[in-house]
Amino acid sequence: MADHIEGRTERYYSEFRIRAKSGQWVWYANYGKIIDDAVFGSRFIGVSFSLADKKRQEEELLALNTRLSEQNAQLERLNAELHTLATRDPLTGIYNRRHLLEVGEREYQRSRRFAHPLTLLLIDIDFFKRINDTWGHVTGDLVIRAVAECCVNEAREAIDTVGRIGGEEFVVLLPETPLAAGLAFAERLRQCVAEMRVTTHDGIDEAAVTLSIGIAELNANCRDFRDLVALTDHALYRAKREGRNRIQGHDVSTSAL
C-alpha cells in the first residue's frame, strides 16, 4: 500500500488468507488504486476475490511437478544402473569385455588419426585352476578381485581403461603410452601382485598369486583394435610358455597378422 501511495506502483495488490467460519484458511486477493476526483477528492477503489481455485490448482501443479521430478530422478538412477550392468564386470566392478572392445576401437581410431602411441596389456593369473582346486571358487573370486584392485591402483585415473575379459584374464589399455612406458607399467603391476597375499575364504591360509603379461604397441600392421589384441595375445602366450610370472612384449620388427 505504501509503495502505491508514494507512486512507485500503478496499483496496490496483495494476497492473504482469511479464516472461514469452518476454521479453514481460505486464500483471497485484494487489488485497487487511488483515484483523484474533482468532486470526491482522492479515494481508494479496490476489489477482493477468492483465490481458492487458483491456489488449489497451484498446489496440484506443484504436486505433479514434484512427482515428475521424483520419477525423473528414479529414471536417471535406473539408467545409471542399466549402464553399469551393460559396461561393468559384476564380480570386480571394472569394465567388461564389451565395453573394452568399444573403448579400444575408439582409442585405435584416435591413435591412428593423431599418430599417438597406444599400448595394450593382456594379463593372466598363473595357475588359477590350482587356486580354485586348492581353496575353492570363493577364494578364487577373492583373488580375482585382488588382482583387479592392483590393476586399478596402478592405472591412471580417467586415462587408462582396466577391464576383465573373462575368467582370470584382464586387460589394461594405455593411451598415449609407448611400449617402453607400458613395459614399466607392466613390471610395477607384476610386482604388486607377486608381493601380495590373499587370505583364503576360511581365513586359515594365504594364497600367493603371480601374473603372466603380454604387451604390444599399436603399429602400422594393425588394421583395427582386434589386431592389436591378437598381437598382445601372442605375447601373453609366449610369457606363459617361458615359465609364467613374467612379461613378454611383442616385437614390432617381427609383426605378422
Side-chain angles (χ1 to χ4, degrees), residues 91-184:
L91 177 61
T92 62
I94 60 178
Y95 289 115
N96 60 20
R97 182 187 187 93
R98 174 186 173 184
H99 184 74
L100 284 164
L101 291 175
E102 291 176 355
V103 173
E105 190 59 35
R106 289 200 301 268
E107 289 295 339
Y108 166 83
Q109 297 295 341
R110 192 181 67 84
S111 296
R112 273 280 184 258
R113 179 179 181 183
F114 298 106
H116 289 180
L118 176 66
T119 293
L120 180 69
L121 278 72
L122 278 181
I123 302 156
D124 187 82
I125 301 176
D126 293 330
F127 304 111
F128 184 71
K129 184 178 184 301
R130 184 184 301 173
I131 294 174
N132 282 336
D133 292 344
T134 303
W135 293 292
H137 288 83
V138 176
T139 296
D141 288 347
L142 295 176
V143 169
I144 288 173
R145 290 196 190 102
V147 171
E149 184 177 356
C150 273
C151 292
V152 171
N153 290 341
E154 292 296 332
R156 299 167 296 181
E157 185 176 0
I159 299 176
D160 303 331
T161 302
V162 178
R164 180 182 175 212
I165 58 174
E168 66 275 20
E169 290 190 332
F170 301 82
V171 163
V172 181
L173 185 63
L174 305 174
E176 304 292 336
T177 305
L179 183 62
L183 287 167

Side-chain angles (χ1 to χ4, degrees), residues 55 81 145 148 151 182 253:
K55 290 296 183 181
E81 291 174 5
R145 290 196 190 102
C151 292
S253 63

Side-chain angles (χ1 to χ4, degrees), residues 16-28:
F16 51 89
R17 293 190 305 167
I18 299 175
R19 188 187 292 275
K21 290 182 179 181
S22 64
Q24 293 182 334
W25 288 98
V26 182
W27 279 98
Y28 268 79

